Amino acid sequence: MSNETAVSEQTSPSSCQTDGAADVTVYGLGRSLVAPCFSPFTLKLQTYLRMAGIKYKFEGSLKMSSKGKIPYIIHKGKQVEDTSFIVEYLNKEYSVDLNAHLSLSEKGISVAFQRLIEENLNWPLTYERWILKYNNLVDILPFTSFKKKMFKLATSSPFGMKSKVQANMHGHGIGRHSKEDIFKIAEKDLTSISNFLGDKPFLMGSKPSQVDASIFGHIGILMFAATDFRTHRFVKDNLPNLVTYCERVRERFWPDWNDRVAENI
Amino acid sequence: MSEAETEPLIAIYYAAPTLLAPTASPFVLKLLTYLRMTGLKYKSVHTLKMSSKGKHPFIVYKGKEIADSTLIIQFLNNEFNKDLNTSLNAVERATSLAFQRLCEENLVWCVVHDRWIVNTDAFLGQLEMSNMMKKFMSFYVSVRFRRVQQANLHGHGIGRHSDEEILQIGKRDLTALSNFLADKDFFMGSEPTLLDCTSFGLLEQIIECLPGSEYEQFIKEKLPNLVAYTERIKEKFWSDWKEQCAQKKAKHVNQPKSDKEGETLEKVKVEGQNGSGDAYAKSSEEEDATVQEKKTTGMLPVTDS
């Protein structure tokens, strides 16, 4: 299946995800009750695969990659980690170029917005998910009440996810800001994406491109799976074009969204 | 534009100049360039004391400390009614912010990684201090300070990648900057804007202050428009660049202790002073810096949040 050319738009994105065997298996934290996957980077990766027409299987798993992160993929027995490297790798393997129609300057801008989302906006959203709204987190997980209790114990323990997030935020630098300043940073980034998008259907114009996977990964989760966030309310109240953008991308690449979320136990 | 003769209002706190640049920090250089672009008068205070957020730069204005270069600039914009982005429309401001994020939240970490993990000796070679102090610093950095930066790199995420992968990430960002700049004079057009403060602050560090690094080689060979860009900014806003760098003490030139040190000094001389080799005058400021460095130990910030 290597060097397979990208499937044309006639192949439906929803048929890319298979529950049977596939050359590409995506490993990430599993589905939630409100989204096909819990993590923004996993949603980014799956959206890219659907945009590129690459068949894949998604396995929910708590096992991290060798770099301690998710998602990662196994392709023909080989582990590839970090969504940026995974995308570059699959672009080569499958001769995909979602940015072929962009000028050099547009490609540059596209990288810049990817960094804005993944290296900056990612942090206030992670902060809201794992610190501020931590107690609400179990509400969207498809767990029994016992498993929810265990999850809370594990994630709030000294080496659990919560303290890792705090340490990572401090290392990155954003953790040194006040809560209000962190929200201001998020609002500035979201407003910029909205202003740049304007009334275009996709970020870089009338056709989707690679950066749309990054944007939908994070803002899709924010709009569909984090309705109690303060940043969610900010987008809903102030940036209507981002709301319609998320709905547009979901309709086009995730028409099976509701079939792919977890069922309540 | 040089520092004012009259009593300045804004005191900028940061570590001493190096032999290659007025500051080793991309964020300090960003702030100083902003002040020069806006014509705001300032006074540099060289210190190893950190802000309340544990970083440089910070300012003290009317007795109040303000930390973080972005917050400082926002404050000064409000206080003095300045806006380098006044000519930009909403789409341009958004594009400008995206590139600032690329520089400050991603590419800068490649510099941190190069300086503190890969090419530490080359970085220490730029600092104006005695050979014995350099030996001590080299030891101290490897034992303590590198661990701090490794934890930061790990927290950010980029530190989990291999050296080669980090290099690829840096090259991708540099290529994006070069593609967007193209043949424009400044990033957003024919006039400098706030993004130019950020990108000059960072690009200058990469081009001139990472001697021998693969980034330096990559930019000079593949992205000449970025090199021309930094020279353009220097000509316009940093005509006193050489005078603002630390000056080499005369005795260091005459007494290299080993071949390795001599090589480091020679490299610094060629890279940092364009072969002029004449800047060996003492100044009271550099003495204060050396004394400061001896008193406190090894806190040499290169980034702020």
Side-chain angles (χ1 to χ4, degrees), chain A residues 67 115 120 172 189 192, chain B residues 97 101 105 161 165 173:
Chain A
K67 289 175 185 173
R115 300 301 190 210
N120 201 57
H172 171 271
D189 280 7
S192 290
Chain B
L97 181 73
R101 298 297 191 221
E105 306 304 331
H161 295 307
E165 285 168 339
D173 281 7

Side-chain angles (χ1 to χ4, degrees), chain B residues 20 53 64 94 96 116 138 148 154 156 165 193 215 284 287:
Chain B
L20 298 182
K53 291 179 181 167
K64 187 180 163 194
S96 167
W116 295 108
S138 188
V148 170
H154 190 81
H156 173 274
E165 285 168 339
T193 62
Y215 297 115
S284 61
E287 272 191 287

Side-chain angles (χ1 to χ4, degrees), chain B residues 140-200:
Chain B
Y140 185 83
V141 160
S142 62
V143 164
R144 169 118 205 281
F145 201 67
R146 183 175 283 150
R147 277 204 204 148
V148 170
Q149 291 297 6
Q150 261 164 345
N152 289 346
L153 286 160
H154 190 81
H156 173 274
I158 203 173
R160 300 173 198 232
H161 295 307
S162 68
D163 292 355
E164 184 53 44
E165 285 168 339
I166 295 175
L167 193 56
Q168 268 183 55
I169 289 169
K171 284 180 178 176
R172 188 173 179 223
D173 281 7
L174 288 166
T175 305
L177 283 162
S178 174
N179 285 344
F180 180 66
L181 176 69
D183 53 8
K184 303 197 293 288
D185 278 347
F186 303 100
F187 271 95
M188 301 309 296
S190 55
E191 290 300 320
T193 62
L194 185 58
L195 174 58
D196 294 295
C197 302
T198 303
S199 48
F200 172 73

Side-chain angles (χ1 to χ4, degrees), chain A residues 7 21 24 35-36 41 50 58 87 118 123 138 142 146 160 190 196 200 205 214 247:
Chain A
V7 184
V24 176
F41 284 101
R50 286 157 173 254
F58 174 52
V87 166
E118 297 183 356
W123 293 100
V138 288
F146 173 74
L190 289 160
F196 188 83
K200 305 197 293 293
S214 292
E247 284 162 3

Side-chain angles (χ1 to χ4, degrees), chain B residues 41-139:
Chain B
K41 305 209 184 325
Y42 67 94
K43 172 178 99 165
S44 293
V45 178
H46 297 307
T47 177
L48 293 175
K49 180 174 174 287
M50 304 296 206
S51 74
S52 56
K53 291 179 181 167
K55 300 253 180 167
H56 280 174
F58 62 95
I59 69 167
V60 175
Y61 176 71
K62 290 184 178 172
K64 187 180 163 194
E65 180 196 293
I66 303 165
D68 186 277
S69 57
T70 300
L71 297 177
I72 293 169
I73 288 173
Q74 270 171 27
F75 170 82
L76 293 174
N77 278 347
N78 287 337
E79 183 76 11
F80 294 96
N81 200 26
K82 300 282 182 189
D83 183 4
L84 287 175
N85 284 353
T86 193
S87 62
L88 302 182
N89 64 31
V91 170
E92 288 167 333
R93 278 176 197 249
T95 309
S96 167
L97 181 73
F99 277 103
Q100 260 177 273
R101 298 297 191 221
L102 179 148
C103 289
E104 299 187 342
E105 306 304 331
N106 203 54
L107 185 52
V108 73
W109 290 100
C110 299
V111 173
V112 171
H113 176 257
D114 190 86
R115 276 185 175 165
W116 295 108
I117 313 293
V118 180
N119 286 322
T120 311
D121 284 344
F123 175 60
L124 291 176
Q126 299 170 33
L127 306 179
E128 207 304 296
M129 53 177 72
S130 67
N131 291 333
M132 193 164 89
M133 200 59 204
K134 277 189 192 161
K135 278 201 172 83
F136 172 77
M137 282 307 306
S138 188
F139 169 74

Side-chain angles (χ1 to χ4, degrees), chain A:
Chain A
M1 294 275 179
S2 67
N3 295 320
E4 192 182 305
T5 51
V7 184
S8 74
E9 282 162 3
Q10 284 156 356
T11 308
S12 80
S14 51
S15 69
C16 289
Q17 185 172 358
T18 171
D19 294 323
D23 276 352
V24 176
T25 308
V26 176
Y27 290 88
L29 299 181
R31 304 173 294 165
S32 71
L33 297 172
V34 287
C37 51
F38 176 79
S39 141
F41 284 101
T42 311
L43 185 59
K44 165 199 172 184
L45 179 57
Q46 291 194 59
T47 305
Y48 157 81
L49 290 162
R50 286 157 173 254
M51 285 166 66
I54 298 172
K55 273 200 152 49
Y56 72 96
K57 182 176 180 179
F58 174 52
E59 288 267 10
S61 161
L62 291 179
K63 187 163 179 282
M64 300 290 179
S65 74
S66 65
K67 289 175 185 173
K69 295 252 176 168
I70 51 94
Y72 59 95
I73 65 164
I74 307 272
H75 176 247
K76 296 186 173 179
K78 183 178 173 184
Q79 185 184 105
V80 186
E81 326 170 50
D82 186 274
T83 54
S84 291
F85 290 132
I86 294 172
V87 166
E88 267 174 43
Y89 170 84
L90 292 175
N91 279 346
K92 262 200 206 114
E93 285 288 315
Y94 289 87
S95 300
V96 168
D97 185 0
L98 297 175
N99 288 349
H101 60 289
L102 300 181
S103 69
L104 275 181
S105 175
E106 286 170 335
K107 285 184 190 184
I109 293 175
S110 173
V111 172
F113 273 101
Q114 185 192 335
R115 300 301 190 210
L116 179 145
I117 300 256
E118 297 183 356
E119 306 303 333
N120 201 57
L121 181 60
N122 170 59
W123 293 100
L125 298 181
T126 304
Y127 172 64
E128 209 165 358
R129 173 77 286 158
W130 284 99
I131 312 292
L132 297 181
K133 293 289 182 185
Y134 172 70
N135 289 330
N136 303 41
L137 176 48
V138 288
D139 296 341
I140 62 165
L141 298 175
F143 292 166
T144 59
S145 62
F146 173 74
K147 202 170 171 187
K148 282 182 186 179
K149 283 199 181 93
M150 292 296 106
F151 175 85
K152 271 192 125 168
L153 264 175
T155 50
S156 56
S157 70
F159 295 105
M161 187 63 183
K162 231 184 143 182
S163 67
K164 276 190 186 145
V165 165
Q166 264 158 341
N168 287 346
M169 282 179 67
H170 188 81
H172 171 271
I174 200 171
R176 301 172 202 229
H177 291 304
S178 68
K179 184 169 88 171
E180 273 315 303
D181 280 344
I182 294 175
F183 276 122
K184 284 203 186 96
I185 287 169
E187 288 165 12
K188 197 166 177 193
D189 280 7
L190 289 160
T191 306
S192 290
I193 299 168
S194 169
N195 287 344
F196 188 83
L197 176 67
D199 52 12
K200 305 197 293 293
F202 300 99
L203 191 78
M204 302 309 297
S206 55
K207 283 176 76 170
S209 64
Q210 200 164 288
V211 71
D212 290 298
S214 292
I215 297 190
F216 184 70
H218 276 80
I219 305 188
I221 290 288
L222 178 64
M223 298 320 292
F224 302 125
T227 50
D228 54 340
F229 280 21
R230 177 173 147 177
T231 25
H232 172 97
R233 279 196 306 281
F234 173 81
V235 173
K236 211 158 175 204
D237 294 345
N238 299 286
L239 309 172
N241 67 339
L242 275 192
V243 179
T244 51
Y245 167 86
C246 288
E247 284 162 3
R248 182 180 309 121
V249 174
R250 182 167 72 164
E251 202 181 299
R252 172 121 171 213
F253 296 107
W254 286 94
D256 55 337
W257 180 278
N258 289 328
D259 299 328
R260 292 288 179 187
V261 306
E263 279 161 18
N264 213 341
I265 293 178

